[in-house]
Amino acid sequence: MIGKTVCTICGENRYDSLGKPRKSAFYFPLIPRLKMQYADPIRAKELKYRANYIPNSQKISDIYDGKLYKELIEEDDCWVLMMINNNLSPEIRVKRKNLLVTAVIPGPNQPKNFNSFLRPVINELKLLEEGILCFDGDSKQEFKLKSHVIFWCGDIPAITKLMCITGHNSYMGCRMCDLKGIRDLTNNHIYYPLKPPRDYHKSPSYNIRNLPLRNHNKYDKLSQEWQNLQTDAAKKKFAQDTGIFFYS
């Protein structure tokens, strides 16, 4: 959307007659707040929780015992993006004062191209992945702070936007697997039976122990296929068949 004066989704002008944006989202940079927290002696001690944590191979007491983390180290209605600092201990990390609000996307309508609002967040996360210079108020020394996203979470609409999927009321709406839904004509909703009704022959049966799961490689492949689509009709058909809809 950078440099464009007309919205690629609705076709409306992005700026008013005075050249001001018709609507703006709010972004709160992450890096300055991380630096300020580490510069505070008390908070700097609290942030050493992860560094001092002893992993437990017998049970999961915190995210650092999980497989994913171990692999890693080897105005109206609005949308709020928050970060949880897992360097803090579980007892305090999710308290309101410790949550890092990084973006507020105003309503009343939900964002169409959600990922376009994430651009400044992603830019900062790239810098944090490489490492930034910080001052430790506890040890009184400078150090290189690196930060990585362990996982994203949210309600169904938010995850739908984040993952570029068509949503829970579509035929391929599951974000975890490729189950094909069936429309219930009595209430006009989609549901996902493992075994279709007797008089319905358009959907296969599924083994709950061997579901056709989605994975990163599939998403990459579908993304490449999307880039080759030339018409809106082809993109709509693609979304119906795959449950995934990328924005240009």
Side-chain angles (χ1 to χ4, degrees), residues 156 166-175 177-194 197 200 202-203 206 214 239-240 243:
I156 291 178
T166 50
H168 58 285
N169 197 31
S170 62
Y171 288 107
M172 299 289 290
C174 180
R175 69 177 187 266
C177 65
D178 285 327
L179 260 68
K180 185 174 178 60
I182 296 175
R183 182 175 295 279
D184 184 350
L185 298 179
T186 59
N187 57 24
N188 202 32
H189 283 292
I190 306 294
Y191 70 106
Y192 305 90
L194 294 175
Y200 194 91
K202 297 180 180 180
S203 181
Y206 299 97
R214 297 184 187 269
Q240 290 176 341

Side-chain angles (χ1 to χ4, degrees), residues 49-50 53 55-56 62-66 69-70 85-88 93 150:
Y49 165 79
R50 181 196 59 80
Y53 185 81
N56 190 329
D62 200 352
I63 59 170
Y64 306 114
D65 298 318
Y69 177 77
K70 292 176 181 178
N85 190 339
N86 288 301
N87 275 12
L88 296 170
R93 71 172 60 142
I150 298 177

Side-chain angles (χ1 to χ4, degrees), residues 50-51 53-55 63-74 87 146-150:
R50 181 196 59 80
Y53 185 81
I54 301 175
I63 59 170
Y64 306 114
D65 298 318
K67 179 181 177 182
L68 183 62
Y69 177 77
K70 292 176 181 178
E71 290 178 349
L72 178 64
I73 61 174
E74 298 179 337
N87 275 12
K146 290 188 176 183
S147 179
H148 304 272
V149 175
I150 298 177

Side-chain angles (χ1 to χ4, degrees), residues 11-201:
E12 294 286 335
N13 290 327
R14 298 181 62 204
Y15 303 93
D16 61 20
S17 59
L18 299 177
K20 295 182 179 180
R22 294 174 61 180
K23 182 165 288 189
S24 300
F26 300 93
Y27 178 68
F28 308 96
L30 186 61
I31 291 176
R33 287 184 287 168
L34 289 174
K35 286 188 172 184
M36 284 191 291
Q37 288 196 29
Y38 273 102
D40 179 83
I42 296 176
R43 177 45 62 93
K45 283 185 178 180
E46 293 176 336
L47 287 167
K48 287 184 170 61
Y49 165 79
R50 181 196 59 80
N52 297 326
Y53 185 81
I54 301 175
N56 190 329
S57 60
Q58 302 300 317
K59 64 178 182 179
I60 295 180
S61 300
D62 200 352
I63 59 170
Y64 306 114
D65 298 318
K67 179 181 177 182
L68 183 62
Y69 177 77
K70 292 176 181 178
E71 290 178 349
L72 178 64
I73 61 174
E74 298 179 337
E75 71 228 53
D76 292 289
D77 185 25
C78 63
W79 293 55
V80 180
L81 180 65
M82 294 188 298
M83 299 285 186
I84 298 174
N85 190 339
N86 288 301
N87 275 12
L88 296 170
S89 67
E91 291 79 11
I92 63 174
R93 71 172 60 142
V94 293
K95 289 187 175 181
R96 185 169 62 179
K97 66 178 182 180
N98 294 327
L99 297 175
L100 299 170
V101 176
T102 55
V104 178
I105 305 171
N109 299 321
Q110 58 179 297
K112 294 292 185 181
N113 188 347
F114 182 69
N115 285 335
S116 67
F117 292 93
L118 296 182
R119 179 183 291 272
V121 182
I122 299 302
N123 289 342
E124 273 202 297
L125 291 175
K126 287 181 178 179
L127 293 175
L128 286 166
E129 190 173 23
E130 295 296 325
I132 60 171
L133 193 63
C134 278
F135 177 78
D136 189 323
D138 179 35
S139 65
K140 310 301 181 185
Q141 294 179 338
E142 288 188 336
F143 71 103
K144 194 172 187 179
L145 171 66
K146 290 188 176 183
S147 179
H148 304 272
V149 175
I150 298 177
F151 62 89
W152 298 86
C153 62
D155 58 14
I156 291 178
I159 295 299
T160 295
K161 294 287 187 183
L162 186 66
M163 296 183 66
C164 297
I165 56 180
T166 50
H168 58 285
N169 197 31
S170 62
Y171 288 107
M172 299 289 290
C174 180
R175 69 177 187 266
M176 304 299 295
C177 65
D178 285 327
L179 260 68
K180 185 174 178 60
I182 296 175
R183 182 175 295 279
D184 184 350
L185 298 179
T186 59
N187 57 24
N188 202 32
H189 283 292
I190 306 294
Y191 70 106
Y192 305 90
L194 294 175
K195 187 176 181 180
R198 293 180 181 178
D199 57 345
Y200 194 91
H201 306 289

